[in-house]
Amino acid sequence: MSAAVPAREADIMTGSAYDFALIKRLWRYIRPHWKLLLTWAVFMPFTIVFELLQPKLFQFALVHHMLGGNLEALPYDAALFMGLVVAQGCSSFCESWFLQLAGQRTMHALRIALFDHVLAQRAAFFDRIPVGRLMTRMTNDIESVNEMFAQGAITLIADFLKMLAIIGIMLSIDVTLTLLTFVTLPLLFILVEYARRLMRASFRQIRVRLAAMNAFAQEHLSGIKVVQLLGRSKIAQREYDEINAGHRDAYLGQIRADAAMYAVVEAIGTIAIGIVIWYASGHRRENIEMIGVVVVFIDYITKFFIPVRAQKYAVMQGAMAATERIVQLLDTDERDGGIPDIATTKSDDREPDPNAPVVELAGVHFSYGAEPVLRGVDVRVPRGATVAVVGATGSGKSTVIKLLTRLYERDRGAIRIDGVDIRDLSLADLRSRITVVSQDVLLFAGTLADNIALGKPYDPARLEAAVHRVGLDRALLRRGADVHERVAERGANFSAGERQLVAFARALLREPEILILDEATAHVDPEAEGLIEQGVHELMKGRTTLVIAHRLSTIRNADLIVVMDKGQVIEQGKHDELVAKGGFYAALERTFRRQGSDAIVEI
C-alpha cells in the first residue's frame, strides 16, 4: 500500500544552470506582476544605501567628533543616524510589501494553473499517481515555493548586491586590509556550493517522502472503515511509522548542511574580524584613524556575513526542490481526450448519419497494460433502444463505458455516435450527449441541490421537477429533509438508495440523448427498490439506454442483450432468443431460476 517513488524523480539535473531553468519556468507566473517587482527593485537600492551609510556615519562621528573632541556635534550625528534608520525601515517595509504581494499573486496563479492542469488529465493518469502525492504537489510544494517570497529568500539578489557594495566601500577605505579580510572568501564559496548540493539532495528526498506519507494517509483515511473492521490499524500504524521515519531521516542532510554552514560562516567572520584587529595592531601611529577603520570594518564584516548565516539559503534550496516537482507535474501531458487538436475538433465538421445506429463499436481493442481487456468488440445500439450488457466480473463491461465517454482512449477499432467517430467530437459535446449513472455515487460538499446541479445554472423549478420525477423528494420526506439538506463527507449522511436517486436526478436534469446505467441498481436496499425502479423508468423514457446490470428483471425487458466474456462479445439477442439458444446466457438464466433470485450472480 505504500506509494512507490518513480524512478524519474530520482534522476534530476543539478547545478546553477538548472536552477536558472526552474526560475524561467516560474517566470511565466511572475511576469504578469512585473510592475510590483519593478517597484520592489526601485526600493531595494535605497534600502541598501540607507543601511550601508550607517557605519560610515558612525565612523565619521567617532573619529571627528567623539575622539576629536567636538562633542557638540554629536546630537546632529545622532539625529542623522536615526534618520537613516527610519529611512531604511520605511524603504525595507515597502520593498517587502511589494515583493510579497507579487509573491502571493504568483502563488495564486500557480495554484490555479496546477489545479487546472491536474483536472485536465485523463483517467489513466489518476490510476498511476496516488491522490495523496498529487495533493502534496498542489499544497505542500507550492507552499515551499511561497516560503521563498514570504521569508524573503528571493532577496538573495539584494543580498548579493549589498555584499558587493560592502566590498566596494571597504576597498575605498583600505585596499590592503580589505584583501586580507576576504582572503577566506574562496573557502566560503566552496562551503556554499557544498551546502547547496547537500541541501538540494536532502530537500528532494523530503519532497518524495512527504508525498509518500500523504498518499499513505489519504489511502487509509479514505478506507478507514475497512481498516477498522479488518483489524489493520496496528499494521497501518507500523507502516506509517516506517514512512514517517524515512521523512524524518531525509531532513538529516539538510540539518547537517545548515549547521555546518552556520558554524563555518561564523568562524570565517570571526577570523576576518581577527585579521582586522591584527592589522590594526601594526598601525599604532595612526591611532585615531585606525580606530575608526577597525570599527567600520567590523560593522561591515558583520553585515557581509549576515545573509550567508541566515536561513534564506535553505529556504531557497527547499523552494527549488519543490519547483522541480511542480515542473515535472506541469510537464506531464496526458490530457483528457488525448491529442489536443483532435480533442478540440468541432462537432459540426461532419453531419451525423440519420440511418446510422446511435452508438456503434466496431472492432474495438483496449488494454490497461500488457494484458488485453477488450478484443475486437462489435456492438450496434439502435436509436431509442435499451441494450443490456451482461457478463462476469472482468469481462470488459465497464471498460466499454469508459471508452465510449473517452475517459480512456481505445487502442484500435472505431466508436461512433450517429455515424461520427467520437474522436471527431469535442469532449464537451460528447459528454453533454451522454450521461453515466454508476453504482458508486460521489456527493460533494454543499447541499443536495448543489450536488444535482453541479455548478450549472439550472432553473429551480426544473430542478424540483427532476427531483420529483425520480422520487427523490419522497425518499427525503421520509427523513424530514429536502434538497437543501447539507451533505456530509462523501455523502455519508445519506443511504445508498438516496444517493442513487440523486444520481438519477442529475442525469434527468441534463436531458442526455444517451443514458448509461453502469450497474446503477447493484447495491440498492429492498426498501428503496421501488423508488429506484420508478427513477430508472423515468430516466429511460424516450432515450437510447445502455445498461450494465445485475438484475434479471432489468435485462429481461431489454431490446437487445449483449453477453461478454474475456473481453469479447460472445452472444447477442433478446432474452427469449438467447435462452432458446442454450448458450452462455441460458446457463446464467438457469442459475438465476434455480436460486430463485432476481440478481445475477458473478461468475
Side-chain angles (χ1 to χ4, degrees):
M1 287 197 177
S2 59
V5 178
R8 184 179 173 222
E9 291 193 342
D11 185 21
I12 302 173
M13 297 167 56
T14 59
S16 57
Y18 187 53
D19 289 350
F20 182 69
L22 292 175
I23 294 294
K24 281 179 65 178
R25 292 296 301 273
L26 284 180
W27 178 247
R28 62 176 296 188
Y29 305 103
I30 300 173
R31 186 172 51 213
H33 316 296
W34 66 270
K35 291 181 180 179
L36 292 172
L37 291 177
L38 181 62
T39 309
W40 164 70
V42 168
F43 281 103
M44 179 181 66
F46 287 104
T47 305
I48 294 173
V49 168
F50 292 143
E51 182 181 1
L52 298 188
L53 280 176
Q54 294 167 30
K56 285 293 292 180
L57 176 60
F58 185 78
Q59 179 195 19
F60 180 83
L62 177 66
V63 173
H64 297 283
H65 297 157
M66 294 182 190
L67 299 178
N70 188 9
L71 300 181
E72 293 81 6
L74 286 179
Y76 299 103
D77 295 333
L80 186 56
F81 191 88
M82 287 300 298
L84 289 174
V85 171
V86 171
Q88 179 197 348
C90 293
S91 180
S92 179
F93 170 81
C94 295
E95 183 186 345
S96 178
W97 169 266
F98 287 109
L99 178 63
Q100 293 201 38
L101 187 59
Q104 290 308 311
R105 290 182 179 178
T106 299
M107 292 305 101
H108 176 259
L110 183 58
R111 286 189 186 99
I112 291 175
L114 197 58
F115 182 78
D116 290 349
H117 180 79
V118 169
L119 216 59
Q121 302 308 301
R122 61 194 301 184
F125 171 83
F126 299 97
D127 292 340
R128 194 168 41 82
I129 301 180
V131 173
R133 183 170 296 160
L134 290 174
M135 291 300 297
T136 302
R137 299 288 166 266
M138 297 166 67
T139 54
N140 298 83
D141 286 349
I142 287 185
E143 192 57 33
S144 292
V145 178
N146 182 44
E147 287 293 306
M148 184 170 64
F149 291 93
Q151 293 195 19
I154 203 169
T155 58
L156 287 172
I157 300 169
D159 293 336
F160 179 72
L161 293 176
K162 184 170 73 174
M163 291 165 76
L164 289 179
I166 289 172
I167 293 175
I169 294 171
M170 292 172 70
L171 285 171
S172 69
I173 297 173
D174 192 316
V175 175
T176 305
L177 182 55
T178 303
L179 294 176
L180 286 172
T181 299
F182 291 115
V183 73
T184 55
L185 274 186
L187 178 60
L188 181 63
F189 293 144
I190 294 172
L191 171 67
V192 168
E193 179 61 17
Y194 164 77
R196 187 193 67 78
R197 291 177 180 273
L198 191 57
M199 284 183 184
R200 180 65 62 84
S202 178
F203 277 120
R204 283 182 186 136
Q205 283 299 312
I206 289 168
R207 307 320 309 170
V208 171
R209 301 294 182 185
L210 181 61
M213 192 162 60
N214 286 346
F216 186 89
Q218 186 273 334
E219 181 181 51
H220 281 73
L221 291 177
S222 297
I224 188 64
K225 293 180 181 178
V226 176
V227 171
Q228 292 176 341
L229 290 174
L230 298 183
R232 186 180 158 73
S233 298
K234 293 291 185 184
I235 298 173
Q237 289 169 0
R238 187 167 60 251
E239 291 179 359
Y240 185 80
D241 183 58
E242 292 174 1
I243 299 172
N244 192 25
H247 179 252
R248 176 202 63 204
D249 295 342
Y251 268 100
L252 295 180
Q254 183 264 328
I255 294 170
R256 186 162 53 248
D258 201 28
M261 191 169 179
Y262 183 88
V264 175
V265 168
E266 189 75 22
I268 291 174
T270 304
I271 290 170
I273 292 173
I275 290 173
V276 170
I277 296 172
W278 168 80
Y279 180 82
S281 66
H283 295 74
R284 287 189 291 270
R285 287 177 297 180
E286 306 168 14
N287 204 17
I288 294 178
E289 288 292 335
M290 186 51 63
I291 289 174
V293 170
V294 169
V295 170
V296 78
F297 261 61
I298 290 175
D299 202 346
Y300 280 132
I301 289 169
T302 303
K303 291 182 182 297
F304 183 89
F305 285 104
I306 283 176
V308 187
R309 285 199 301 264
Q311 295 291 320
K312 291 180 182 180
Y313 199 69
V315 172
M316 194 71 179
Q317 292 307 310
M320 289 296 97
T323 304
E324 288 174 351
R325 300 287 180 262
I326 293 171
V327 167
Q328 284 177 7
L329 183 54
L330 289 173
D331 285 343
T332 303
D333 191 11
E334 301 178 24
R335 291 192 173 271
D336 188 17
I339 305 171
D341 59 346
I342 292 177
T344 55
T345 302
K346 297 295 183 184
S347 60
D348 57 359
D349 287 347
R350 291 183 53 186
E351 292 294 328
D353 183 358
N355 299 316
V358 176
V359 177
E360 180 183 10
L361 285 80
V364 174
H365 290 257
F366 176 76
S367 60
Y368 288 108
E371 184 67 25
V373 178
L374 298 182
R375 311 163 189 259
V377 172
D378 294 287
V379 176
R380 294 166 62 90
V381 181
R383 188 176 303 278
T386 297
V387 176
V389 182
V390 299
T393 298
S395 61
K397 306 184 300 296
S398 294
T399 301
V400 169
I401 308 307
K402 293 173 183 176
L403 297 183
L404 182 59
T405 53
R406 291 191 69 189
L407 290 175
Y408 294 83
E409 295 293 332
R410 64 187 185 263
D411 296 336
R412 300 202 308 275
I415 303 176
R416 304 182 186 93
I417 291 180
D418 290 333
V420 179
D421 194 297
I422 61 172
R423 286 183 177 175
D424 293 330
L425 299 172
S426 68
L427 281 175
D429 185 23
L430 173 67
R431 291 172 184 172
S432 68
R433 299 171 68 177
I434 301 174
T435 293
V436 180
V437 180
S438 65
Q439 60 180 318
D440 298 318
V441 181
L442 179 63
L443 299 186
F444 300 95
T447 64
L448 280 181
D450 296 334
N451 274 274
I452 295 170
L454 288 179
K456 295 190 177 180
Y458 291 110
D459 180 63
R462 187 178 164 194
L463 190 146
E464 291 287 348
V467 168
H468 177 72
R469 284 180 61 186
V470 300
L472 177 59
D473 56 345
R474 292 183 291 281
L476 294 174
L477 190 61
R478 295 174 181 173
R479 57 187 293 167
D482 57 19
V483 292
H484 302 295
E485 183 85 1
R486 302 295 299 183
V487 176
E489 177 86 14
R490 300 176 65 87
N493 55 331
F494 294 95
S495 68
E498 290 166 339
R499 292 197 297 271
Q500 200 68 68
L501 290 173
V502 170
F504 290 162
R506 282 176 183 169
L508 193 61
L509 194 60
R510 280 153 182 76
E511 295 290 346
E513 297 175 29
I514 302 166
L515 176 67
I516 299 175
L517 301 177
D518 186 2
E519 301 178 349
T521 59
H523 303 309
V524 174
D525 53 280
E527 185 178 350
E529 190 169 350
L531 287 173
I532 295 293
E533 288 183 356
Q534 177 188 338
V536 170
H537 178 70
E538 285 293 328
L539 274 176
M540 294 171 63
K541 274 184 182 177
R543 289 188 179 84
T544 303
T545 306
L546 195 60
V547 182
I548 295 177
H550 282 238
R551 295 184 181 274
L552 185 59
S553 59
T554 307
I555 300 168
R556 186 185 289 117
N557 297 323
D559 299 309
L560 176 68
I561 299 172
V562 177
V563 183
M564 295 187 66
D565 184 46
K566 297 179 181 178
Q568 295 178 308
V569 175
I570 56 174
E571 291 179 343
Q572 292 190 56
K574 290 182 176 291
H575 173 76
D576 293 338
E577 295 171 357
L578 293 176
V579 170
K581 189 177 178 180
F584 190 90
Y585 180 81
L588 281 177
E589 201 271 344
R590 284 195 298 272
T591 302
F592 311 148
R593 219 177 313 121
R594 279 199 305 269
Q595 294 179 349
S597 172
D598 183 44
I600 291 182
V601 179
E602 295 288 0
I603 60 173

